[in-house]
Amino acid sequence: MSTGTSSVSLYPPEGFGAPKNRRGHADLSSVGLPEGTVVFSADNHISLAEDIFYQRFPSDLKDRAPRIWYEDGAYQIGLQAGQSFLPPDFSAVLMQYDDLPGAKSNNIEARIQELREDGVDKELAFPNAVLALFGFPDHELRELAFRIYNEYIADLQERSAGHFYGVGLINWWDPQGTRRTLAELKSLGLKTFLLPLSPGKDKQDNVIDYSSTAMNAVWDEIEEAGLPVTHHIGETPPKTPCEVNSVVISMMVNVDSFREMFAKYVFGGILDKHPRLRVGWFEGGIAWVPPALQDGEHQMASYRHMLDRPIEHDVRYYWDNHMSASFMVDPLGLQLIDKIGVDKVMWSSDYPHNESTYGYSEKSLAAVVDAVGPEAAARIVSDNITEFLGL
């Protein structure tokens, strides 16, 4: 296995400009992947471009439905036009790429074509602005909105003929709702769901702690459903205001947002109590994994005598047996691949985000081949996400 790094920059080539001006032009014949490799992006995004919640809410609830509208180059979500749930920086980022024909949910054909031109044949797609519904205050209406989103995204999945797989949304705040929404999600053919890193409060206004005994029944339902859990960056704003370059500062915070949840799975006992869970970490890269494992092992050695509940395995066991992560451009992570595991990482283009490889995905794919060799690269860019989703 090679651990060398390419001397060619992996970042957007000069002249490509903003993401909405990029165009795929991939020639994968020179990338070095084995013949017949189907490139599968493990983390893309789709913007909801139709007012589906208002359209599909019962007539007596339409005045309380979240609304979708287009404003200043981006699709917004809120209770009514002009009152977006989205922070200004989030909206500003969406404006950079929402005008791409394929970025929008109402043009799945353009999406498949744009990705094909970039060398990507299949994708797992996470929401964009819909993530704001995680904080929707009415729990019943939140679940209804999730159900409508799942039905809509499942229809896109079916129409894509195997090119598009959508990430669903579930009720995580009460076990009966968890069972109900997971059963619905599976019946729709969705293969995974997004669990927020910040779960908010339950219906009794108690702050939810994923590792608490109160959440055991929710994890029971998730484990029984047999679908992998996904976590994604994007919920961690800076702790203090940012007057200058706030978008980049926010992203620097966001890409380092997995540690608390990782620790709850390991030290909070979630995986000991629910040993059949599988967990994927998306868009945070892979270079974070070795230091998280190293620090977890050091903390375990240092505080073993103070644990309320001993953990059943060493820290590394939980990563090796339960977890995997995605990346787009991560030269450092690829240098550390022997400490992470070739079968534990998944390449993604992150189309159509600013930081995506869209327009130069062949350079990112070639870097994977250069780092690990063709056969291992095929696992990273295709097989691992296929197995994660159970396809």
Side-chain angles (χ1 to χ4, degrees), residues 357-389:
T357 67
Y358 178 62
Y360 61 101
S361 290
E362 75 280 2
K363 297 180 72 175
S364 178
L365 292 166
V368 178
V369 176
D370 181 58
V372 303
E375 299 303 323
R379 287 204 60 80
I380 290 171
V381 310
S382 185
D383 298 344
N384 290 341
I385 180 61
T386 301
E387 293 173 8
F388 179 80
L389 296 176

Side-chain angles (χ1 to χ4, degrees), residues 56 143-159 164-170 180-192 227:
R56 302 186 187 189
E143 183 177 319
L144 175 58
F146 287 0
R147 179 176 298 113
I148 290 169
Y149 180 79
N150 290 342
E151 291 170 349
Y152 181 85
I153 213 76
D155 179 63
L156 293 182
Q157 179 173 298
E158 183 174 357
R159 287 166 47 200
F164 172 94
Y165 294 90
V167 176
L169 305 173
I170 70 162
R180 183 170 55 246
T181 51
L182 280 169
E184 293 167 354
L185 190 144
K186 291 177 70 174
S187 72
L188 290 168
L190 299 180
K191 304 301 182 182
T192 189
L227 297 179

Side-chain angles (χ1 to χ4, degrees), residues 107-125:
N107 199 340
I108 191 68
E109 295 79 15
R111 183 180 185 90
I112 292 169
Q113 182 61 29
E114 285 180 351
L115 286 167
R116 181 179 292 122
E117 291 170 355
D118 200 44
V120 178
D121 188 67
K122 297 177 183 287
E123 62 169 326
L124 179 64

Side-chain angles (χ1 to χ4, degrees), residues 73-99:
Y75 287 93
Q76 302 287 335
I77 186 168
L79 285 179
Q80 61 185 38
Q83 296 183 12
S84 179
F85 293 148
L86 303 177
D89 279 349
F90 200 119
S91 295
V93 170
L94 292 179
M95 291 172 191
Q96 303 304 306
Y97 53 77
D98 262 5
D99 281 337

Side-chain angles (χ1 to χ4, degrees), residues 69-379:
W69 71 94
Y70 183 82
E71 180 181 327
D72 295 332
Y75 287 93
Q76 302 287 335
I77 186 168
L79 285 179
Q80 61 185 38
Q83 296 183 12
S84 179
F85 293 148
L86 303 177
D89 279 349
F90 200 119
S91 295
V93 170
L94 292 179
M95 291 172 191
Q96 303 304 306
Y97 53 77
D98 262 5
D99 281 337
L100 275 172
K104 303 179 280 291
S105 65
N106 59 358
N107 199 340
I108 191 68
E109 295 79 15
R111 183 180 185 90
I112 292 169
Q113 182 61 29
E114 285 180 351
L115 286 167
R116 181 179 292 122
E117 291 170 355
D118 200 44
V120 178
D121 188 67
K122 297 177 183 287
E123 62 169 326
L124 179 64
F126 289 81
N128 274 326
V130 171
L131 295 178
L133 292 180
F134 281 168
F136 200 66
D138 188 308
H139 291 75
E140 282 74 22
L141 295 187
R142 186 197 299 172
E143 183 177 319
L144 175 58
F146 287 0
R147 179 176 298 113
I148 290 169
Y149 180 79
N150 290 342
E151 291 170 349
Y152 181 85
I153 213 76
D155 179 63
L156 293 182
Q157 179 173 298
E158 183 174 357
R159 287 166 47 200
S160 79
H163 294 283
F164 172 94
Y165 294 90
V167 176
L169 305 173
I170 70 162
N171 176 331
W172 66 83
W173 52 90
D174 77 78
Q176 293 78 21
T178 305
R179 175 185 293 183
R180 183 170 55 246
T181 51
L182 280 169
E184 293 167 354
L185 190 144
K186 291 177 70 174
S187 72
L188 290 168
L190 299 180
K191 304 301 182 182
T192 189
F193 60 93
L194 178 61
L195 205 59
L197 296 167
S198 302
K201 296 182 178 181
D202 62 20
K203 291 190 287 188
Q204 288 73 46
D205 207 35
N206 300 309
V207 175
I208 295 173
D209 171 10
Y210 280 131
S211 61
S212 67
T213 55
M215 285 294 288
N216 282 344
V218 168
W219 289 113
D220 287 343
E221 297 296 342
I222 293 173
E223 183 179 35
E224 183 63 28
L227 297 179
V229 182
T230 69
H231 296 291
H232 197 284
I233 69 164
E235 303 171 40
T236 313
K239 294 181 174 63
T240 57
C242 307
E243 183 176 335
V244 179
N245 291 332
S246 58
V247 170
V248 179
I249 293 169
S250 294
M251 284 304 301
M252 287 292 290
V253 175
N254 273 321
V255 297
D256 189 31
S257 58
F258 290 149
R259 278 209 170 197
E260 180 178 354
M261 192 66 212
F262 173 82
K264 289 198 171 188
Y265 277 116
V266 175
F267 298 109
I270 295 172
L271 291 176
D272 283 342
K273 298 174 193 172
H274 305 92
R276 290 178 288 151
L277 288 177
R278 292 178 297 129
V279 181
W281 309 93
F282 291 84
E283 206 177 316
I286 56 175
W288 67 274
V289 175
L293 294 175
Q294 174 179 274
D295 291 348
E297 290 166 351
H298 180 66
Q299 300 307 326
M300 185 62 193
S302 302
Y303 292 95
R304 187 184 303 272
H305 63 292
M306 296 179 65
L307 295 181
D308 304 310
R309 179 189 183 281
I311 65 173
E312 296 177 6
H313 306 280
D314 61 60
V315 174
R316 177 85 207 193
Y317 173 93
Y318 299 98
W319 171 260
D320 287 343
N321 290 275
H322 295 276
M323 300 182 185
S324 53
S326 79
F327 71 99
M328 298 94 72
V329 175
D330 198 335
L332 179 58
L334 290 172
Q335 288 183 51
L336 298 171
I337 196 69
D338 289 336
K339 300 183 183 300
I340 303 169
V342 163
D343 60 338
K344 310 302 292 181
V345 300
M346 304 170 285
W347 179 85
S348 68
S349 72
D350 195 37
Y351 166 94
H353 280 180
N354 285 34
E355 64 273 24
S356 75
T357 67
Y358 178 62
Y360 61 101
S361 290
E362 75 280 2
K363 297 180 72 175
S364 178
L365 292 166
V368 178
V369 176
D370 181 58
V372 303
E375 299 303 323
R379 287 204 60 80

